[in-house]
Amino acid sequence: MSSKSEPSFRQSVDLMFNRAVRLMDLSPGLEEKIRVCNATYTVRFGVRLRGDIKTFTGYRSVHSEHMEPVKGGIRFADTVNQDEVEALASLMTYKCALVEAPFGGSKGGLCLNPRDYDEHELELITRRFAYELIKRDLINPSQNVPAPDMGTGEREMAWIADQYARMNTTDINARACVTGKPLNAGGIAGRVEATGRGVQYALREFFREPADVAKAGLSGKLDGKRVIVQGLGNVGYHAVKFLSEEDGSIITGIIERDGALVSETGLDVEAVRQWIAQHGGVAGFPGAEYVADGAKVLENACDILIPAALEGVIHKENAANIQAPLIIEAANGPITFGADEILREKGTVIIPDLYANAGGVTVSYFEWVKNLSHIRFGRMQRRQEEARNEMLVQELENLSAAMGNQWTLTPSFKQQFLRGAGELELVRSGLDDTMRTAFQSMRDIWHNRSDVPDLRTAGYLVSIGKVASSYKAKGL
Ligand code: NAD
């Protein structure tokens, strides 16, 4: 973790903001209005557990209301604190602006270690926390819409949605009060994988431009690239699963809480995931080297480093030792401001958090729209599209027969072409489009402005510009 001599997470985000905003022509007043966190609500509540009352502390921070609802995940971890929640809320503002998700930035956190409680206890705690936020409109389909983050997932989101529905029995849009729900509770296909999938799409877009790849001292495509990931949770697992299964990347390192696994020939992501589920950690996994000091493996040679666990893991003390020429920040804030400066000097290319992990909020946006429209994506068009494709194939086959069957359509082409897009295909298509478009907006600035040496500054410039226009349009 970052050392005491470094700025806090929130200060680190603000410093990155300041570095970018210096290159813009905004009034100091507007600059400050965008940077500061509007409000942070702290709640302490009691839950009766194991025969006694236990008090918990939770936060919901709203960074910017230039668009509403505001949006951002809820984190369950014993390290949660106000500074962290505010930093994450501000990142949400910049992230939503960059990927054009029409939300302001928010974030929540509950200070507890979820592994200390059983499922029933966690439900009581989550529902009580949700109750406290709902009654202050800090969870509300039109004002503040949470989502999963570290330590929470579909299960917690379903409890929150149900709690909201119980307290707002006549709200027809109740399901839109939170995203990341299970499919049977108003969720959307592809939300669980979305952030990891977005990391994959971001890397694919990066590797489409040979000049960018060359800037990282790399060449070719994702095929054969050696990847190290930190955190095999929701984001990290899906990212490396897709990169290894679909793009031919080789996962040479997996860093988890209890240590790391290293294998130059590549780790089987699915097998490691199952091992962790059964044994609680990576230690003992057969066929790979185990390194007890997991964080040290961040410094191993590889092509792509994917920090996908915590903030501040690449800091002033280890930044100079990082060998990866390309880092994609799947986690929020994994590189401190000080480390970012060191890595920039070294020429390391960093695909920044405000872009790299925006796949989650993008698909959350789709889920929110689905909840408000009360209809599954693709339900109206799918069979009509299939019928039209069927007509076309039939016509081509008739033509072929009339010409003596000189050519035929391959069965695999026919199968793929005839299938109309369902919700999952549409969600992936929308996510891919979002990740490509947002990368291109950063790339334009990165390539064309000599005073912008890195993608992070480019990303901030795009998003601060959008937030500023929004404030200006409001007459602020
Ligand atoms: P998660 O709880 O599903 O997974 C986190 C993983 O990191 C776990 O496997 C955990 O064991 C591991 N981990 C914890 N401490 C570690 C340590 N010291 N060293 C190595 N591994 C450690 O969380 P997640 O949802 O995957 O979130 C990870 C990061 O991605 C966070 O920064 C979060 O803010 C960010 N993020 C998540 C989403 C989302 O949709 N879930 C969206 C955007 C950003």
Side-chain angles (χ1 to χ4, degrees), residues 75 88 95 107 148-151 191 195 230-236 255-257 308-310 330-332 357 360:
R75 176 176 287 196
L88 292 164
K95 199 177 297 187
K107 201 81 181 190
D149 192 73
M150 240 172 81
R191 173 59 184 91
T195 312
Q230 181 187 43
L232 206 63
N234 176 299
V235 179
I255 308 168
E256 256 296 329
R257 278 174 210 281
L310 310 166
N332 282 307
N357 65 41

Side-chain angles (χ1 to χ4, degrees), residues 386-458:
E386 286 182 358
R388 289 181 71 86
N389 292 350
E390 178 75 48
M391 261 169 62
L392 187 65
V393 164
Q394 200 58 58
E395 197 63 15
L396 285 170
E397 285 183 335
N398 291 346
L399 205 61
S400 165
M403 294 168 70
N405 287 323
Q406 288 174 27
W407 48 268
T408 52
L409 300 173
T410 63
S412 76
F413 168 81
K414 263 175 65 174
Q415 198 196 4
Q416 284 181 49
F417 184 71
L418 285 175
R419 205 180 53 226
E423 185 167 84
L424 184 61
E425 288 82 12
L426 292 169
V427 162
R428 286 181 179 162
S429 156
L431 175 60
D432 194 12
D433 182 58
T434 303
M435 296 309 289
R436 286 195 204 197
T437 308
F439 196 99
Q440 285 156 13
S441 67
M442 294 193 298
R443 182 184 274 148
D444 270 354
I445 295 180
W446 192 34
H447 285 195
N448 296 319
R449 278 187 63 166
S450 56
D451 57 347
V452 178
D454 62 329
L455 280 165
R456 191 190 310 281
T457 308

Side-chain angles (χ1 to χ4, degrees), residues 25-43:
D25 187 22
L26 295 187
S27 76
L30 182 55
E31 255 184 60
E32 192 190 358
K33 176 66 209 82
I34 297 174
R35 185 180 49 246
V36 297
C37 192
N38 287 5
T40 301
Y41 171 68
T42 306
V43 60

